[in-house]
Amino acid sequence: MKRFLLLFVLLYICMYAHGQVITIVDDQSGKPVELAVLTSEKHTSGEFTNHLGQIKSALFEGEDWIIVRSLGYQSVRVEMDDLPGMNFIIRMKKEDLSLDQVIISASRFNQSSRDVPSKVSTISSKEVALFNPQTLADVLGSSGEVFVQKSQQGGGSPMIRGFATNRLLYAVDGVRMNTAIFRSGNIQNVINLDPFATERVEILFGPGAVIYGSDAIGGVMSFQTLTPDLSLGEVPAVSGKAFMRYSSANKETTGHFDINIGLKKWAFLSSFSSFDYGDLRMGSYGPDEYLLPFYVARIDQTDVAVSNTDQQLQQPTGYSQINFMQKIRFSPNEDWDFQYALHYSATTEYARYDRMIRTQNGAPRYGEWNYGPQRWMMNQLTVQHHGYNKVYDEMVFRAAYQNFEESRMDRNFNATYRNIREEYVDALSLNLDFSRTFSPGDRLFYGVEAIWDDVTSIGQQEDVITGIVTEGPSRYPQATWSSIGAYANYQKRFSKKMLLQTGLRYTRFYQEALFDTTFYAFPFTESTIRNGGLTGSIGTTYTPSDAWTFRVNISSGLRSPNVDDAGKVFDSEPGYVIVPNPDLKAEYAYNAEAGVATIFGKRWKMDLTAYYTRLNDALVRRDYTLNGMDTLLYDGVPSRVQALQNAAKATIYGIQFGLEGEIAEGLSISADVNYQKGEEELDDGTISPSRHAAPFFGMARLSYRSGALQLMLYSAFSAQRSYADMPEEEKVKTEIYAMDENGNPYSPGWATINFKVNYDFESNFTIGAGLENITDLRYRPYSSGIVAPGRNFILSLQARF
C-alpha cells in the first residue's frame, strides 16, 4: 500500500510539473524577463521565453537541471526538482557586467559567447528603444563598433573592419539577404528592415564563410525579427504595442503597430510601420564647404540652379517608407515548430544627394539623379525539429523566396533625355542545418545551402519634353547566379576551461549572363563563370575563471564574383565608366585575430581584440580597354574605360576595444573605440589607403537607471582623415569633402554630444525624448555624401498591451 501511495505521489508530481509554466522574472521589479534562454544537458541550443518571461516546463521533462541566461542578468542554474517549491518562478539578479551571453549568428544555433573564438556583439531591443534610431542603419551605428556611410538620407552602408558592401553579409532570420547585384559601391539595402520588427541584432566580426558562404569576409550582420508567442494557458494570449515618434532635424513622423495573438498551438503576429522623412537640416557650426548654395528646380521645362536661401537645408533629401511583416506559427508539440513569414518593404523615390551637389563647368552636373522606389519582399518557411537521435539533436530547415526591385533615374543638367534603369532580382534559397551533441561540450554543426538568383535588367530613355519612352542600355546583362555548399563545424571541449572549434566549407558557384550589344559593342554576347572554393576556420577559447576569457581564431573567407562585378555598365565617378569583365575569379581573405575579455574589481569589464586580414586577388577597378578603345561615350560624356579585375592585394589590421564600468548604484559608463588601417595595391604597384577602412571612431556613454527611468548622455566621435591619408579614389570626390589649407580635400574629425531619456509610467506606457548633436555641429562622416543631422529633438510615445 505504501509503495502504491509513493508511486501515486510521484506520478502526480510528474503530471503537475509537465503541465506547468516556468516564469522568469527580475529579482527586484518582478517584471518578466523576455527572451531569456534556458539550456539543459539535452537542450544545448536552448529555448527562449516569451514576452511574459514564460516557457513550458514540459520542454525540459526528464532533465536534472536548467541554466537560465539573459543579457544584463546573472546566469542561474536551477535543479528541476526544486521548481515546484519555487512555484516554477525563477528570479534573476541584474548584472550589467558579464562575459557570458547567448548568441546565434556564429553557428545558426544558440551558443554561449564563451564558446565562440570570434568576436560577436549584440544589440538588444531594449538598447534600441533607448537610442530611438530612425533606421536599422542607425541601429548598427549605435553599437559604436560599426561605421555607417550615407550617400543620401535613404541609405546606410555599414563598414566593418575595413570592409563594406558586398564583402559583408546580411542575414534576416538566418536567410541570406545578399543578392547577385550587391555592388562594391555603397549600398542601402539595410534600410529595407524595420527596427520596430527587429528583436535582436548580432554582429559577427571577421570571416563567417564556413557558415554563410560567399561575401562573409569582413563580418556578418544577423537580424532576428519578432517571433510569434504561443499561449501557454487555456486563454488566448493577446499582446502588442503602438508607437509614435517625431524628430525635428528632418521633420520625421513615424508610426508603428504590432499585435500577437497566441493560441496553444497556433500564433499570429502582424507588424506595420510607416516612416516619413522631410529634407534633412545640417548643423550650424562646421566647414562652409558643406553648405548647400543651390538646388536644382525644373521651371517651364528648364533646369534652373536656384539660390538656396537656407543653405543648411539639404534638398532634395526627403522620402517615405512602409514596412509590413506577417508571421504564422504552428507548434503541434514540443518537438516540432513551423513558421511562415512575409516581409515587405517599399520606399518612395528619393534623390541621391551626393550626385545632386556635383558641378561641371560652373553649373550643376545633373538635373536629376534619383533612386526609384526600393522594394523588398520575402516569403520564408522555417521548420524546426528536436530529434535527439543519432543524426541530430536539432534540425532547422529554411526555404525562402525574395524579390528585390531597384531603379535609377538620372538626367544631365538641361538634357532632354532621362536615363531609366530598373533591376529585378528573384532570389531562392534553401538551408538545412543540424546540431548534434556527442558529450557535454562536444558539438557538431553541419548543413547544406543552395542559392539561385535571377537578374532582370531593363534600360529606357524618356524624353522629358514629349514623354516618349524608348529602349535604352541596361545596367546589367540578363543573368543567373547560383551556389551550392556544404559545411561542418565541430567544437571539442578538452576541459571546463578550454574549447577548440574548427570548421570547413566547400561551395560551388555558377554564373551565366547574356549581353545586349545594341548600345555597346561588347566583344562577347554571353559569359559563364564556374568556380569553387574551400574555406575554413580554427580557433580556441580559454576561460580560466568566470572573470577571464581568451580567444584566438584563424579563418578564411571568399567572395565569388557576382553579376554586378562581371556584367555592370555604369559611371563610377566623373569621367570614368565601368564595363563588364567576364574573366573574373573569386577573391580570398585570410584572417587572424586574438582577443581577451575580463571583469576586474567586480565593477569593470574590458574587451580587447586585435586582428589582421589579407585579401588576395582583390576585385578592384582598373583601367581597361573595350574593343581596343580606352575611352567610351557614356550618357554623352567621354569616359575612361575601367573594369573590375583580380588585380590587387589588400591588408587590413586593427584593434577593437570596449570598456564598461559601474560607478555607483544605477550609474554606469561604457565606451567602444575602433582603430583600423587598410592598404591596397594600385595599378602602378604603389600603395593607397583602403577606401572602406574608416578613421578611428567610437562611442562613449554615461547611463543612469532607476526604476522606470533611464537616462543616457553619450558622445559619438570620429578622427579626421587627412588628404595624405585619403584613398586615391576618394580624392576626386571634392564635392563631399572639406578643403585643407592647401586646397586639398580631407575629412575633418568630429564629436557629438547627445542625450536620451525613457520613462515608463502606468506599466504599459513609455515616453521617450532625446536631444542629438546638442552643440549643433556641422559634420559629414567619412565618405558620406550627405551631411549629418544638426541639433535634433526627438519625442516618442509607446503603448503596450
Side-chain angles (χ1 to χ4, degrees):
M1 183 66 178
K2 291 181 178 179
R3 291 181 179 178
F4 176 79
L5 288 174
L6 179 60
L7 179 62
F8 177 80
V9 170
L10 290 174
L11 287 172
Y12 175 78
I13 291 174
C14 291
M15 292 176 63
Y16 174 72
H18 180 85
Q20 287 299 303
V21 172
I22 301 173
T23 303
I24 315 298
V25 300
D26 184 287
D27 182 54
Q28 293 181 343
S29 68
K31 292 183 178 180
V33 179
E34 60 178 319
L35 297 180
V37 180
L38 283 71
T39 59
S40 64
E41 184 176 359
K42 184 178 179 182
H43 286 263
T44 52
S45 292
E47 303 290 340
F48 285 96
T49 60
N50 63 16
H51 75 285
L52 297 175
Q54 297 177 335
I55 192 170
K56 289 182 180 179
S57 63
L59 290 169
F60 303 95
E61 186 176 354
E63 299 283 6
D64 295 326
W65 49 265
I66 56 175
I67 295 176
V68 187
R69 295 183 177 92
S70 183
L71 188 64
Y73 290 90
Q74 295 180 10
S75 298
V76 180
R77 176 178 169 131
V78 178
E79 302 297 320
M80 292 297 292
D81 292 341
D82 294 338
L83 280 174
M86 302 164 63
N87 293 322
F88 291 88
I89 298 175
I90 300 175
R91 299 183 178 276
M92 300 190 74
K93 295 182 179 179
K94 285 189 178 297
E95 181 183 56
D96 292 329
L97 305 179
S98 174
L99 301 181
D100 186 19
Q101 59 177 295
V102 175
I103 58 174
I104 302 172
S105 58
S107 66
R108 295 184 185 269
F109 294 94
N110 293 337
Q111 289 180 273
S112 168
S113 58
R114 286 187 164 187
D115 294 342
V116 178
S118 301
K119 177 177 172 61
V120 181
S121 293
T122 301
I123 307 173
S124 69
S125 57
K126 292 181 179 179
E127 293 172 296
V128 173
L130 181 58
F131 269 98
N132 232 338
Q134 294 189 359
T135 69
L136 210 49
D138 298 329
V139 171
L140 292 168
S142 71
S143 69
E145 297 179 303
V146 178
F147 193 91
V148 177
Q149 181 276 352
K150 293 186 179 183
S151 297
Q152 63 283 324
Q153 187 172 199
S157 188
M159 298 181 184
I160 298 176
R161 287 190 175 181
F163 295 100
T165 61
N166 55 16
R167 289 179 179 139
L168 301 176
L169 190 126
Y170 301 71
V172 182
D173 291 336
V175 175
R176 173 192 180 95
M177 194 181 191
N178 295 44
T179 72
I181 63 171
F182 263 42
R183 56 189 179 272
S184 57
N186 299 307
I187 60 176
Q188 55 267 357
N189 298 76
V190 72
I191 70 168
N192 288 335
L193 305 177
D194 184 357
F196 296 107
T198 302
E199 203 165 61
R200 179 186 179 94
V201 178
E202 292 183 9
I203 307 163
L204 172 65
F205 294 89
V210 169
I211 303 298
Y212 294 96
S214 180
D215 301 3
I217 287 181
V220 176
M221 291 162 286
S222 176
F223 306 98
Q224 304 295 321
T225 61
L226 298 174
T227 301
D229 285 338
L230 299 166
S231 173
L232 301 184
E234 299 299 325
V235 179
V238 180
S239 61
K241 64 178 178 289
F243 179 92
M244 297 182 296
R245 181 177 61 214
Y246 170 80
S247 300
S248 63
N250 57 357
K251 309 297 182 185
E252 177 220 14
T253 54
T254 286
H256 168 80
F257 178 79
D258 64 64
I259 183 171
N260 182 96
I261 301 175
L263 308 177
K264 295 192 71 172
K265 294 185 177 181
W266 291 87
F268 307 87
L269 174 66
S270 301
S271 171
F272 178 80
S273 299
S274 174
F275 308 86
D276 186 72
Y277 308 105
D279 291 332
L280 182 63
R281 175 174 294 278
M282 68 181 75
S284 302
Y285 307 102
D288 289 342
E289 292 93 340
Y290 294 169
L291 294 171
L292 181 66
F294 70 89
Y295 61 91
V296 177
R298 186 76 172 168
I299 302 174
D300 295 330
Q301 301 293 338
T302 302
D303 292 331
V304 178
V306 178
S307 179
N308 191 5
T309 57
D310 186 353
Q311 296 190 14
Q312 292 176 234
L313 189 64
Q314 302 174 85
Q315 50 182 319
T317 53
Y319 76 104
S320 300
Q321 179 173 333
I322 60 169
N323 283 78
F324 173 73
M325 182 180 75
Q326 177 65 55
K327 287 192 174 183
I328 301 172
R329 180 181 180 186
F330 175 57
S331 187
N333 53 48
E334 281 77 20
D335 293 331
W336 288 94
D337 192 270
F338 301 82
Q339 285 192 47
Y340 164 76
L342 168 66
H343 299 264
Y344 179 77
S345 171
T347 71
T348 58
E349 183 178 302
Y350 54 90
R352 181 166 173 178
Y353 182 77
D354 62 338
R355 295 297 176 95
M356 292 304 297
I357 61 176
R358 280 185 181 175
T359 59
Q360 181 175 280
N361 299 324
R365 171 69 172 83
Y366 294 100
E368 58 180 292
W369 210 117
N370 297 326
Y371 284 110
Q374 178 174 295
R375 298 186 178 95
W376 169 66
M377 180 183 68
M378 180 169 77
N379 290 272
Q380 178 189 1
L381 174 66
T382 302
V383 180
Q384 185 174 0
H385 181 236
H386 296 280
Y388 302 109
N389 52 49
K390 293 182 179 180
V391 179
Y392 62 87
D393 295 331
E394 186 175 353
M395 178 273 294
V396 180
F397 170 73
R398 297 179 179 90
Y401 163 71
Q402 298 179 77
N403 177 263
F404 298 81
E405 179 182 336
E406 301 175 3
S407 59
R408 296 159 178 80
M409 294 159 285
D410 66 86
R411 183 176 53 82
N412 291 338
F413 189 71
N414 273 321
T416 302
Y417 289 97
R418 174 188 294 127
N419 301 302
I420 303 172
R421 295 176 175 90
E422 300 174 351
E423 285 77 53
Y424 304 88
V425 180
D426 293 304
L428 298 175
S429 62
L430 298 173
N431 292 85
L432 187 59
D433 301 292
F434 301 94
S435 171
R436 177 77 165 89
T437 300
F438 295 96
S439 62
D442 294 356
R443 296 181 70 184
L444 174 66
F445 307 98
Y446 64 102
V448 293
E449 178 183 63
I451 299 167
W452 183 82
D453 286 4
D454 182 72
V455 178
T456 299
S457 187
I458 299 172
Q460 296 176 325
Q461 286 190 329
E462 179 184 4
D463 188 318
V464 295
I465 305 298
T466 65
I468 297 175
V469 178
T470 58
E471 185 180 0
S474 63
R475 180 178 172 90
Y476 298 113
Q478 310 308 303
T480 60
W481 184 95
S482 59
S483 73
I484 184 167
Y487 75 92
N489 207 24
Y490 186 70
Q491 287 185 342
K492 173 66 178 178
R493 182 170 290 283
F494 294 99
S495 66
K496 290 184 178 180
K497 297 180 179 180
M498 178 168 284
L499 178 142
L500 177 71
Q501 177 175 290
T502 183
L504 285 173
R505 178 187 179 113
Y506 182 76
T507 311
R508 288 291 298 174
F509 303 97
Y510 307 88
Q511 182 179 159
E512 295 183 352
L514 297 176
F515 292 87
D516 184 354
T517 58
T518 303
F519 299 96
Y520 302 114
F522 299 127
F524 44 81
T525 58
E526 61 183 38
S527 69
T528 300
I529 296 177
R530 288 190 173 96
N531 58 46
L534 182 69
T535 55
S537 67
I538 183 169
T540 184
T541 63
Y542 178 64
T543 308
S545 69
D546 290 341
W548 286 92
T549 294
F550 298 89
R551 58 183 185 270
V552 177
N553 194 52
I554 299 172
S555 57
S556 64
L558 65 80
R559 189 175 74 83
S560 179
N562 62 18
V563 176
D564 183 88
D565 298 314
K568 176 174 58 180
V569 179
F570 88 116
D571 62 321
S572 60
E573 55 197 47
Y576 292 87
V577 61
I578 300 292
V579 299
N581 179 7
D583 299 321
L584 298 176
K585 59 183 180 180
E587 56 184 9
Y588 280 83
Y590 302 92
N591 178 76
E593 66 178 85
V596 57
T598 182
I599 295 175
F600 57 97
K602 296 184 178 181
R603 288 180 174 270
W604 295 91
K605 174 184 174 182
M606 183 272 292
D607 190 309
L608 176 66
T609 302
Y611 60 89
Y612 175 88
T613 305
R614 181 179 176 87
L615 187 66
N616 288 343
D617 295 323
L619 293 169
V620 293
R621 293 201 300 258
R622 291 289 185 265
D623 289 344
Y624 196 65
T625 59
L626 187 63
N627 293 326
M629 297 184 297
D630 60 7
T631 303
L632 178 71
L633 194 66
Y634 182 80
D635 287 346
V637 178
S639 302
R640 181 67 172 88
V641 175
Q642 293 186 327
L644 286 179
Q645 302 173 52
N646 295 101
K649 297 180 177 64
T651 58
I652 307 287
Y653 58 90
I655 292 175
Q656 295 173 280
F657 176 78
L659 181 68
E660 299 178 48
E662 291 184 62
I663 302 175
E665 182 69 26
L667 185 64
S668 63
I669 64 172
S670 64
D672 291 285
V673 294
N674 307 267
Y675 170 81
Q676 53 269 306
K677 180 122 179 126
E679 296 178 336
E680 64 180 47
E681 185 181 14
L682 297 180
D683 200 17
D684 60 2
T686 59
I687 300 299
S688 169
S690 177
R691 174 188 176 192
H692 290 136
F696 176 84
F697 74 97
M699 184 175 290
R701 315 165 191 87
L702 176 65
S703 304
Y704 177 74
R705 179 176 58 197
S706 177
L709 178 66
Q710 291 185 79
L711 304 173
M712 180 182 290
L713 180 68
Y714 66 97
S715 173
F717 51 85
S718 172
Q720 81 162 20
R721 173 152 281 183
S722 66
Y723 176 76
D725 196 36
M726 289 277 282
E728 291 301 316
E729 58 188 300
E730 291 294 300
K731 290 180 178 179
V732 299
K733 302 175 183 177
T734 55
E735 69 274 7
I736 66 172
Y737 289 108
M739 295 297 158
D740 63 19
E741 62 275 10
N742 297 317
N744 295 318
Y746 82 110
S747 180
W750 52 267
T752 62
I753 300 174
N754 316 271
F755 176 76
K756 298 289 174 63
V757 57
N758 270 3
Y759 183 76
D760 299 328
F761 60 96
E762 298 297 329
S763 73
N764 290 325
F765 293 90
T766 300
I767 187 169
L771 190 59
E772 297 178 333
N773 193 2
I774 295 174
T775 60
D776 205 23
L777 182 69
R778 184 186 308 140
Y779 71 101
R780 178 182 259 138
Y782 163 72
S783 192
S784 291
I786 194 168
V787 183
R791 186 180 295 123
N792 183 33
F793 173 71
I794 302 169
L795 182 64
S796 66
L797 178 65
Q798 177 176 280
R800 298 175 295 275
F801 59 91

